[in-house]
Amino acid sequence: CENACPTDYDPGKGVIVSRNDSTLQVGNICVRTCPPGFQESSDSRFCLSECPVQVPGDDRRRGELPVNGICRPCERAADCRACRLSAAIFTDAEADRLRADGCPVWQASELQPMLDVDPQRLSNASLQVLGQLRYLYGNFVVKRVKGSLDFLTNLTFVSGNLGLMMTNTPYLGLASLQSAKAVTLFRVSGLCQAWYPAERINKLRERFEISEINVSFDNTSAECAKAACHPQCTGGCWGPGRRLCVACLRYRVNDSCYADCKEAHRFAWNATACGAACHAECKIGFGCSGPGPADCVSCRRFNESGVCVSECSRGHRPDSNGRCYSVMVAVGICLGVGLLLLLTASLPLAVLYYRRRITRYEAVDLDEYLRDASNPSDMVKLLIVNDDDVSKQRVIGTGAFGTVFKGMLRSHGRELPVAVKVLRGRSPKLGQELLKEAGVLARVRHPCCIRLVALCLTQEPQLITALMPRGCLLDFV
Ligand SMILES: Nc1ncnc2c1ncn2[C@@H]1O[C@H](COP(=O)(O)OP(=O)(O)OP(=O)(O)O)[C@@H](O)[C@H]1O
């Protein structure tokens, strides 16, 4: 007799390994395959009733979890954090204790290796804690459920027997179950046919024993009449929703089935798998092109220069569409637009004012004006006007004494086209000379002489004569 199964030392790996032809050790005996309820150790030497669990505070050795009967190291320490149950019957007090630890692996009490659950005696909060359970070392009995078995949807592994008893439920919800020693359904009623994946259950029968005793379906309830698998399920389902599919039609993300990656808040990786999660600031359901905050199709809260942010940076404010804008730039734009609006609004007013000013004067023909003896056009009634009454438009000539402008004279409510000669120099003598010249000019009335119309004695004296629209006679000689 040997007290260990034959092994060899592998000098390459520096470890003891089983011989190829050797067997696995269970207690004092050697077997070729582990008996039900046991897992093959990761070094293929032993059959273990429990895979090594993660020891809190010791990260040198990763805990292991049973996968298809073999203990495999966990990718993340949190996945194989284990808690030991203090009693066989699950109570609210036990749930409170486990809630704080957040363990996905539960080890039943060694003396009574049983997790006995009566949901009717548990609070909803305790049922949520039960829903965290993924791996149970021990037996699991659930009884007297009336309604949903949603707390079983994460259950992946039971080292012992799983029993559902005296239960009335429309669906079993065992979407994650991979392994158990045996499953017994006893007096389970009210099941909906559409939510009972017979094909999948038959597949599971190849791995472990499934007994159905007094299992009945409800063909009359309104719930079962409407029962159907989620459109993204294929191969049936264990209940309603994308979480309870047997398999997914397109993408599986976090144990749920999705039509595309954006629905799953992931970026599209390839035709069969989604990439990592979109950034937390991306809007749910709109997808992203990568994991960063600049890769979101749409932002959950605010968008600052194409990057999704939880709040706009200093000096920026969000608009009604959640886009952050620079307050300085906005103020500049507002002032510009305001000014433009002001100008646009004042333009018609200015035009109106100008027109009213213009229409105060009646445009008259100069010849008629001069022919009218009542008009002040001789020296006796020489028209003396203000600067405001004369508007100069453009230069039409220059002489020895000044510059001549084409212009308009407003007088007695009328507007006359005139030539305005602005004299150079500002001496009082000039004013007197001007008056003298004006006196002469005002008396001259001849078709070949230009009539003096008015005099403007401002700082720059101006002689205002009738405008000859065709210009200087000399140009035609
Ligand atoms: N009433 C008018 N209508 C049209 N054009 C005019 C009129 N008065 C003067 N001009 C133009 O202005 C130019 C200069 O006129 P201005 O009276 O200054 O000439 P001037 O008699 O040669 O100068 P000055 O009297 O100072 O010696 C003229 O050659 C003519 O083209």
Side-chain angles (χ1 to χ4, degrees):
C1 295
E2 295 189 53
N3 55 10
C5 296
T7 56
D8 278 330
Y9 178 70
D10 180 340
K13 291 183 180 160
V15 292
I16 292 171
V17 292
S18 300
R19 280 194 209 143
N20 282 345
D21 60 347
S22 67
T23 51
L24 299 150
Q25 185 175 335
V26 200
N28 278 342
I29 58 166
C30 294
V31 292
R32 289 212 169 268
T33 51
C34 291
F38 284 83
Q39 319 301 315
E40 193 178 313
S41 65
S42 53
D43 60 3
S44 305
R45 290 176 59 201
F46 303 98
C47 291
L48 307 170
S49 59
E50 289 182 14
C51 294
V53 294
Q54 183 75 36
V55 179
D58 180 7
D59 289 339
R60 279 171 304 162
R61 189 194 155 97
R62 271 283 152 93
E64 293 175 5
L65 284 177
V67 179
N68 296 331
I70 300 169
C71 294
R72 303 264 186 228
C74 291
E75 277 182 23
R76 298 182 311 154
D79 291 344
C80 51
R81 190 182 299 134
C83 294
R84 190 163 288 284
L85 301 174
S86 58
I89 296 175
F90 190 72
T91 58
D92 284 340
E94 184 84 314
D96 282 348
R97 193 177 65 81
L98 293 169
R99 182 182 297 113
D101 295 335
C103 309
V105 184
W106 293 4
Q107 299 160 293
S109 136
E110 278 164 357
L111 291 174
Q112 291 174 287
M114 171 84 86
L115 175 63
D116 192 328
V117 174
D118 184 346
Q120 292 204 77
R121 297 186 182 179
L122 292 170
S123 68
N124 280 343
S126 299
L127 287 175
Q128 271 182 9
V129 174
L130 195 59
Q132 292 173 4
L133 173 62
R134 300 180 83 91
Y135 295 86
L136 175 72
Y137 291 115
N139 300 296
F140 192 2
V141 177
V142 180
K143 56 196 174 202
R144 284 191 283 273
V145 180
K146 281 201 178 85
S148 161
L149 284 170
D150 284 339
F151 54 85
L152 291 178
T153 52
N154 286 321
L155 186 66
T156 308
F157 166 88
V158 180
S159 72
N161 298 320
L162 168 65
L164 299 178
M165 304 185 174
M166 295 163 281
T167 283
N168 185 292
T169 182
Y171 55 89
L172 298 174
L174 295 169
S176 303
L177 188 66
Q178 299 289 329
S179 177
K181 202 168 177 183
V183 174
T184 303
L185 305 179
F186 175 65
R187 286 174 58 192
V188 177
S189 58
L191 287 169
C192 300
Q193 203 85 47
W195 288 332
Y196 190 80
E199 220 171 286
R200 168 71 180 162
I201 289 170
N202 281 339
K203 278 261 178 224
L204 289 177
R205 272 184 224 279
E206 292 168 14
R207 294 196 210 159
F208 46 86
E209 196 186 315
I210 298 180
S211 317
E212 293 161 281
I213 304 155
N214 277 350
V215 172
S216 61
F217 293 92
D218 187 344
N219 298 321
T220 55
S221 74
E223 191 173 20
C224 285
K226 283 190 292 181
C229 292
H230 190 275
Q232 285 304 313
C233 292
T234 182
C237 60
W238 292 91
R242 61 176 88 239
R243 172 73 182 80
L244 296 180
C245 300
V246 166
C248 294
L249 207 55
R250 300 288 311 276
Y251 296 94
R252 176 177 283 273
V253 175
N254 285 346
D255 295 329
S256 292
C257 299
Y258 295 92
D260 52 38
C261 297
K262 77 174 177 191
E263 199 179 29
H265 203 54
R266 299 288 178 111
F267 67 90
W269 185 251
N270 60 32
T272 53
C274 296
C278 294
H279 192 271
E281 286 304 325
C282 295
K283 197 169 185 177
I284 304 278
F286 283 70
C288 56
S289 57
D295 302 322
C296 307
V297 170
S298 186
C299 293
R300 190 158 72 93
R301 283 181 280 203
F302 306 115
N303 181 334
E304 187 166 336
S305 308
V307 179
C308 294
V309 291
S310 57
E311 55 183 34
C312 297
S313 64
R314 218 184 149 92
H316 288 71
R317 290 244 188 308
D319 65 11
S320 58
N321 296 321
R323 289 194 170 271
C324 300
Y325 61 86
S326 160
V327 176
M328 291 289 282
V329 171
V331 167
I333 291 174
C334 283
L335 283 178
V337 170
L339 209 63
L340 200 71
L341 286 175
L342 199 69
L343 283 175
T344 316
S346 57
L347 194 67
L349 289 177
V351 169
L352 199 68
Y353 173 76
Y354 183 67
R355 279 203 184 144
R356 287 193 66 181
R357 246 183 98 98
I358 287 173
T359 49
R360 281 219 318 259
Y361 300 96
E362 177 197 347
V364 294
D365 185 73
L366 189 65
D367 287 340
E368 274 176 29
Y369 176 82
L370 295 173
R371 252 182 260 126
D372 185 347
S374 67
N375 282 326
S377 57
D378 61 16
M379 190 53 198
V380 183
K381 295 186 231 171
L382 180 65
L383 188 61
I384 309 290
V385 295
N386 288 324
D387 229 359
D388 282 353
D389 299 324
V390 184
S391 69
K392 295 187 271 298
Q393 293 168 349
R394 65 179 169 87
V395 175
I396 51 175
T398 46
F401 294 103
T403 310
V404 182
F405 294 83
K406 179 178 186 270
M408 287 299 220
L409 172 70
R410 295 180 200 110
S411 170
H412 293 83
R414 285 169 291 192
E415 200 163 47
L416 308 169
V418 290
V420 183
K421 181 171 176 177
V422 181
L423 300 175
R424 271 190 282 274
R426 298 181 178 181
S427 67
K429 202 172 154 218
L430 182 70
Q432 286 171 10
E433 281 177 11
L434 183 69
L435 267 175
K436 210 193 274 177
E437 184 176 345
V440 175
L441 278 175
R443 286 192 179 82
V444 177
R445 295 200 180 182
H446 189 273
C448 296
C449 294
I450 293 172
R451 284 281 298 276
L452 180 69
V453 178
L455 196 62
C456 180
L457 293 172
T458 51
Q459 278 195 330
E460 286 182 320
Q462 299 168 43
L463 272 178
I464 298 154
T465 52
L467 181 71
M468 298 294 113
R470 288 167 204 263
C472 184
L473 178 65
L474 281 176
D475 295 344
F476 299 89
V477 177

